[in-house]
Amino acid sequence: FSHPLPLIVDGNLEQHWDTCSLAYSPPSLALVNSSDKGEAPLRVCPGQRFQIADLLAHLQAAPVSANDVLLKPYLASWDELIRFLEALGPMVGLISQEIESKTTIIRDLAQKAEKEAEKKMKDMNHSLSFGYTSVRSMIKWELENGLVDFHQQTNSGCRTLLRLHRALLWLQNFLQELGKDATEGERLRSPSDLCKETYQRTLAHHHTWFVRKGAELAFLAMPERPYFYKLVCVGTQAEATVVLNRVVSAIGEVYKRNEVALKEHGMLDLP
């Protein structure tokens, strides 16, 4: 009998891969906090792994050109979101394990392709383009090399990206709802209820009944709002609203670009 939580991103149990990292240097905190909109600066929270400022830095570094997303800062954004989920306790943290397996698949594919490209450059004595620099270059590379299967499941980067893409919409919706202040005369809603509702209108559409029930059970164990304030280094709901709105906006830009790229190539329903 398998626990349903590791299936949440995909809806199918897959092998977990050992993590490998590709070199990437995020922007400085000063650059993240530089804004002509008069936004409140993000702070580094001592004593915890998840850092909201690092998440925003990676998200802001990901968009490139008019319509593309760099893979290294995109995956680094997911590293930080994984830390966010892990900080919510062991039940919710199980979800992060499946997400981490997805980021590792893309990193492994990129590392393998990079080694092959380096070998060909030595053999042919000229430069060769590297396929896993950005989302669009990965799509082009995998299509040209026959790595994408539109009829059955594979561990292609494109299929894996689609699973991360769907999960990102859920987390964007959750953080957006968490950042909303209460209207006059109403109480703030619990993070557990918000997480369940945003999951039901996004990621749940791609899951079986068994997986959905397992996910909803995990959300019952979610901490209350004061814990989230501490996690994003603020003291009040008003401060949380400002911080979370910045993150939600940055996620939205990345999500929109990936949505367009996947849709252009008919990849929004890869099995």
Side-chain angles (χ1 to χ4, degrees), residues 132-230:
Y132 290 83
T133 303
S134 71
V135 166
R136 286 183 176 271
S137 70
M138 178 181 72
I139 291 173
K140 182 174 183 290
W141 171 279
E142 293 200 337
L143 286 174
E144 289 177 349
N145 288 274
L147 300 177
V148 182
D149 195 315
F150 289 84
H151 305 291
Q152 60 185 8
Q153 293 182 12
T154 64
N155 274 344
S156 69
C158 293
R159 178 191 182 274
T160 305
L161 174 70
L162 176 61
R163 270 61 191 176
L164 291 173
H165 182 64
R166 291 169 176 172
L168 189 61
L169 180 62
W170 160 51
L171 286 173
Q172 182 198 24
N173 274 251
F174 173 53
L175 293 176
Q176 185 174 36
E177 293 298 325
L178 200 60
K180 290 181 179 179
D181 212 338
T183 55
E184 189 173 349
E186 292 187 0
R187 295 179 60 185
L188 288 166
R189 300 188 61 202
S190 73
S192 175
D193 287 346
L194 295 176
C195 195
K196 178 182 176 180
E197 288 182 11
T198 53
Y199 169 77
Q200 287 175 336
R201 68 172 182 249
T202 56
L203 202 51
H205 297 306
H206 308 286
H207 291 163
T208 63
W209 179 91
F210 181 65
V211 174
R212 291 197 302 270
K213 292 305 174 185
E216 291 167 9
L217 179 64
F219 301 150
L220 292 175
M222 188 162 287
E224 294 300 323
R225 280 183 184 264
Y227 182 83
F228 283 90
Y229 297 160
K230 179 176 178 291

Side-chain angles (χ1 to χ4, degrees), residues 39-95:
E39 295 168 322
L42 301 188
R43 298 191 293 270
V44 173
C45 300
Q48 64 182 44
R49 293 184 68 228
F50 170 70
Q51 298 292 339
I52 193 79
D54 289 346
L55 172 58
L56 185 61
H58 299 316
L59 288 166
Q60 291 179 339
V64 64
S65 71
N67 60 357
D68 208 353
V69 171
L70 292 171
L71 279 175
K72 288 180 181 178
Y74 175 75
L75 294 175
S77 301
W78 270 114
D79 291 341
E80 210 58 46
L81 286 168
I82 287 167
R83 295 185 186 103
F84 172 75
L85 291 171
E86 288 174 341
L88 302 182
M91 288 291 286
V92 180
L94 284 170
I95 298 169

